[in-house]
Amino acid sequence: MSTPTSTSTTSSISSTAGRTQAAAPIPTDVQTLPFAKAINAGLRAALGGDDKVLLMGEDIGPLGGVFRVTDGLQASFGADRVVDTPLAESGILGTAIGLALRGYRPVCEIQFDGFIFPAFDQITTQLAKMHYRSRGRLTVPVVVRVPYGGGIGAVEHHSESPEVLFAHTPGLRVVSPGSPQDAYTMIQEAIASPDPVLFFEPKGRYWEKGAVDLSAGPYGRRAAEQQGADADQQGAADEQSAGGQGDADEQPVRESITVREPVTVAEANGFATLNTAVVARPGTDLTLVAYGPTVATALKVAEAAASEGTSIEVVDLRSISPLDTDTVVESVRKTHRCVVVHEAPTFLGTGAEIAATVTERCFYDLEAPVLRVGGFHTPYPVAKIEHEYLPSLDRVLDAVDRSLAF
């Protein structure tokens, strides 16, 4: 990722030797970034904006992770902020919980979706319940990054979609961005949130590019504001120098800083991106609900349907738990039809919850039953036939046609 020096601010970091040194400037402009690089930029902004943020995971240091999402972060922030851990998911989560209780904001990477299950006990019986068990006295702001979903031709345990297992557990936020911009903003809001967050990243979309406003998100805004303050300070210094006041050696020196104060709810804009669904494409004939890896598929479906005269509204959930049903319901009351698409099996999946809710709240508005398109109720297949398992353009269009036929 390019790093423009004209629109950035500098943070202070702790090196591997424990010394404080200037990190690379944090960019605050608009760039076109792949999905993975957008997450990298969000992590960089959070690391630079709060020295209590640290990353933990297998091979996330010099290697930058299997998908290179953390590439360059250890070189910038040191091995005590970007920590290579042993291959022990339960140990990673247990350590993160302890760090969170001591005031840190750990971000754990699970290398692949199917590897999260050794940590399932720590996540569902400790991380999810600590705040409730302590009657609100304790918070555990842990983020668990999970590359998930198919489409990369991987072997068993590398293409699963286990998000609903965690969404069913009270006390956990479960989110999945569908665009590079949301990935950048939502990873920052997840880190700033006082709640534990399961951050599911659609790895099949890691290389898709989009425009990203790097001044968005709580830490991105901090960097932009600091950059503006630095510019004002430098301008004042230049004016003083031009006026001939004082010697050059006496000019004020701009120091690198780290913002140590936690992000407030107001500063995070109420975690709006993390909490709410968004209409990714407006339409009038049918509501197509998606999240994470299927958002891009849904948009392609809407484009294909438009060529045949059908107007599809695409709703990107962004958050699976809590679920913004109001946005979905508002859309369905306008279009009178709904299709839900996700890669996870449809049996007892997120789509089932949405279908039940829409039916309850929009019963007299619906002109067709709510349909679901997703994975089948089988273990994830071998790579050669995963295209038969995943919700493809044709499978979703078939559901659209069936809904419109009622």
Side-chain angles (χ1 to χ4, degrees), residues 54-379:
L54 55 90
L55 312 186
M56 304 168 59
E58 301 160 3
D59 300 321
I60 69 167
L63 181 65
V66 171
F67 297 101
R68 307 299 185 265
V69 175
T70 56
D71 186 39
L73 296 180
Q74 190 181 83
S76 295
F77 293 95
D80 56 345
R81 300 284 306 283
V82 183
V83 183
D84 264 330
T85 66
L87 306 182
E89 286 78 14
S90 181
I92 294 170
L93 262 296
T95 302
I97 291 170
L99 285 165
L101 292 173
R102 296 292 292 176
Y104 289 89
R105 293 184 175 270
V107 182
C108 307
E109 177 182 299
I110 303 297
Q111 202 167 71
F112 283 94
D113 36 59
F115 298 173
I116 198 170
F117 297 109
F120 191 83
D121 181 31
Q122 290 281 6
I123 294 171
T124 59
T125 66
Q126 297 294 325
L127 186 61
K129 295 178 172 60
M130 196 73 71
H131 183 69
Y132 184 84
R133 183 186 301 151
S134 66
R135 297 186 179 183
R137 291 191 297 271
L138 301 176
T139 58
V140 276
V142 176
V143 176
V144 185
R145 292 183 43 243
V146 189
Y148 83 122
I152 64 170
V155 296
E156 187 182 27
H157 304 311
H158 293 69
S159 300
E160 298 170 8
S161 298
E163 64 272 16
V164 73
L165 301 177
F166 299 98
H168 188 70
T169 303
L172 298 173
R173 286 182 179 267
V174 181
V175 302
S176 183
S179 69
Q181 179 65 68
D182 279 351
Y184 174 74
T185 304
M186 288 171 65
I187 191 63
Q188 294 181 60
E189 291 188 358
I191 294 170
S193 171
D195 304 315
V197 181
L198 274 291
F199 193 86
F200 282 89
E201 303 170 5
K203 58 178 177 286
R205 309 293 183 187
Y206 270 156
W207 300 273
E208 295 183 2
K209 295 182 178 180
V212 178
D213 179 3
L214 297 174
S215 66
Y219 298 106
R221 282 191 290 273
R222 278 185 169 182
E225 291 168 2
Q226 183 62 47
Q227 178 263 328
D230 286 348
D232 291 343
Q233 182 181 354
Q234 186 62 45
D238 291 343
E239 287 182 8
Q240 183 178 6
S241 177
Q245 299 179 14
D247 297 328
D249 293 340
E250 296 176 356
Q251 297 303 316
V253 177
R254 294 167 59 201
E255 296 182 354
S256 324
I257 64 167
T258 295
V259 180
R260 290 178 170 83
E261 297 80 8
V263 169
T264 64
V265 174
E267 193 176 6
N269 194 28
F271 304 103
T273 309
L274 202 66
N275 285 331
T276 59
V278 64
V279 175
R281 176 181 175 128
T284 57
D285 297 332
L286 180 142
T287 298
L288 187 56
V289 181
Y291 60 86
T294 57
V295 173
T297 303
L299 291 171
K300 291 176 182 177
V301 168
E303 188 69 28
S307 66
E308 299 176 352
T310 301
S311 176
I312 292 181
E313 180 151 294
V314 177
V315 175
D316 178 0
L317 288 179
R318 299 198 291 205
S319 175
I320 303 161
S321 179
L323 194 61
D324 178 12
T325 53
D326 288 345
T327 298
V328 177
V329 165
E330 182 181 356
S331 176
V332 174
R333 284 176 176 165
K334 177 178 67 173
T335 67
H336 309 294
R337 290 176 169 84
C338 182
V339 174
V340 188
V341 54
H342 51 66
E343 289 192 6
T346 56
F347 182 69
L348 297 178
T350 305
E353 177 65 27
I354 294 171
T357 301
V358 168
T359 301
E360 288 174 2
R361 297 181 60 183
C362 304
F363 185 78
Y364 293 106
D365 298 287
L366 287 170
E367 296 182 9
V370 181
L371 301 181
R372 294 168 291 155
V373 184
F376 302 107
H377 194 48
T378 68

